[in-house]
């Protein structure tokens, strides 16, 4: 009996170890870069996970950068006809995040003695991008052309867009698609001419966006 007890005990311990290992396995990532997962419909941004990054050169020494958040908007998408896609997003300029509070204050300060502000000035209106054309350039890439309105000026802007993932968000059961995009603009085109050329006129944009399918039975939680 004592000889049987050791194998029996080993079996129990081994079984428990396997169960514990299975319980601690890393869960599967819900999103994957598979265009076949995308379904037709209307989507809206997940504001907590959609960011517009900007980068600009300072005095020829180095670049500094920041991000805009709380982006809201819609995407109408048909995987069978990508050229028919429609994008309309609004970016609150005051949502900008920078490393220095002094820089943030400078971006939004009023002009001195009634002069124009150096940058946005106090209480700038949100920026808005509305697509006018979508040109697929590959299985997961496209050029999205549209109009960007910023500081009361509207100018054409082309986004180099790449599909980055799709699937069911396990946090809120929302059908989600993700994209990244790049673009460049001249800030002087939008009346933001302060300190040019010491601070570069050219601005590089780096965008990452998540869109959730609009359904009548989901009130999506964006806190996660």
């Amino acid at each position: 009996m004592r000889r049987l007890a050791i194998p029996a005990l080993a079996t129990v311990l081994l079984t428990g170890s396997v169960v514990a290992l299975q319980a601690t396995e890393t869960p599967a990532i819900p999103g994957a870069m598979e265009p076949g997962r995308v379904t037709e419909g209307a989507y809206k941004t997940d504001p907590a996970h959609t960011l517009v990054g900007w980068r600009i050169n300072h005095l020829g020494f180095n670049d500094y950068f920041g991000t805009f958040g709380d982006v809201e908007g819609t995407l109408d998408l048909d995987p069978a006809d990508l050229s028919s896609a429609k994008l309309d997003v609004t970016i609150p300029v005051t949502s900008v995040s920078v490393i220095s509070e002094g820089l943030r204050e400078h971006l939004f300060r009023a002009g001195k003695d009634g002069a124009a502000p150096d940058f946005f000035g106090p209480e700038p209106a949100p920026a808005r991008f509305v697509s006018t054309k979508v040109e697929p350039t590959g299985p997961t890439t496209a050029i999205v052309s549209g109009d960007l309105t910023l500081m009361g000026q509207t100018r054409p802007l082309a986004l180099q867009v790449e599909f980055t993932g799709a699937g069911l968000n396990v946090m809120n059961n929302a059908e989600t698609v993700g994209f990244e995009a790049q673009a460049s603009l001249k800030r002087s085109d939008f009346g933001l001419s302060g300190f040019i050329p010491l601070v570069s006129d050219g601005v590089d944009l780096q965008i990452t966006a998540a869109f959730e399918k609009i359904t009548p039975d989901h009130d999506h939680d964006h806190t996660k």
Side-chain angles (χ1 to χ4, degrees):
M1 291 294 292
R2 278 183 294 179
R3 282 185 296 177
L4 291 174
I6 293 176
L9 178 59
T11 300
V12 171
L13 291 175
L14 181 59
T15 301
S17 298
V18 171
V19 171
L21 180 61
Q22 291 174 339
T24 57
E25 285 181 351
T26 302
I29 297 175
M33 195 173 169
E34 299 174 8
R37 290 183 170 208
V38 181
T39 61
E40 180 183 0
Y43 293 75
K44 64 179 180 180
T45 57
D46 171 358
H49 299 97
T50 299
L51 301 170
V52 177
W54 53 268
R55 190 178 189 108
I56 195 168
N57 186 264
H58 183 251
L59 303 180
F61 295 128
N62 69 318
D63 290 354
Y64 62 92
F65 43 84
T67 56
F68 296 102
D70 298 325
V71 179
E72 295 187 349
T74 57
L75 171 65
D76 293 323
L77 186 60
D78 180 1
D81 183 15
L82 293 177
S83 62
S84 68
K86 301 292 183 183
L87 175 66
D88 185 343
V89 293
T90 298
I91 306 108
V93 174
T94 54
S95 73
V96 71
S97 175
V98 291
I99 195 64
S100 164
E101 187 57 35
L103 174 57
R104 179 181 170 83
E105 188 274 333
H106 192 181
L107 291 174
F108 298 114
R109 75 169 65 144
K112 227 175 184 183
D113 300 323
D118 292 333
F119 296 105
F120 297 112
E123 300 181 1
R128 184 183 181 191
F129 178 81
V130 180
S131 67
T132 55
K133 186 178 182 181
V134 176
E135 302 171 88
T137 56
T140 59
T141 58
I143 297 175
V144 179
S145 302
D147 294 322
L148 175 65
T149 300
L150 174 65
M151 302 296 291
Q153 304 292 324
T154 300
R155 299 286 186 270
L157 183 69
L159 306 178
Q160 304 283 339
V161 179
E162 182 177 9
F163 165 74
T164 53
L168 191 67
N169 186 337
V170 296
M171 299 296 183
N172 56 14
N173 292 321
E175 194 172 330
T176 304
V177 294
F179 301 91
E180 290 185 357
Q182 297 179 349
S184 296
L185 57 82
K186 289 186 176 181
R187 59 189 179 93
S188 59
D189 287 343
F190 300 91
L192 296 167
S193 302
F195 302 104
I196 295 172
L198 299 178
V199 178
S200 64
D201 190 11
V203 181
D204 294 327
L205 302 179
Q206 187 77 36
I207 302 162
T208 181
F211 291 86
E212 298 177 342
K213 195 166 189 180
I214 298 172
T215 57
D217 56 342
H218 280 104
D219 182 13
H220 300 150
D221 180 5
H222 296 120
T223 61
K224 299 175 181 178

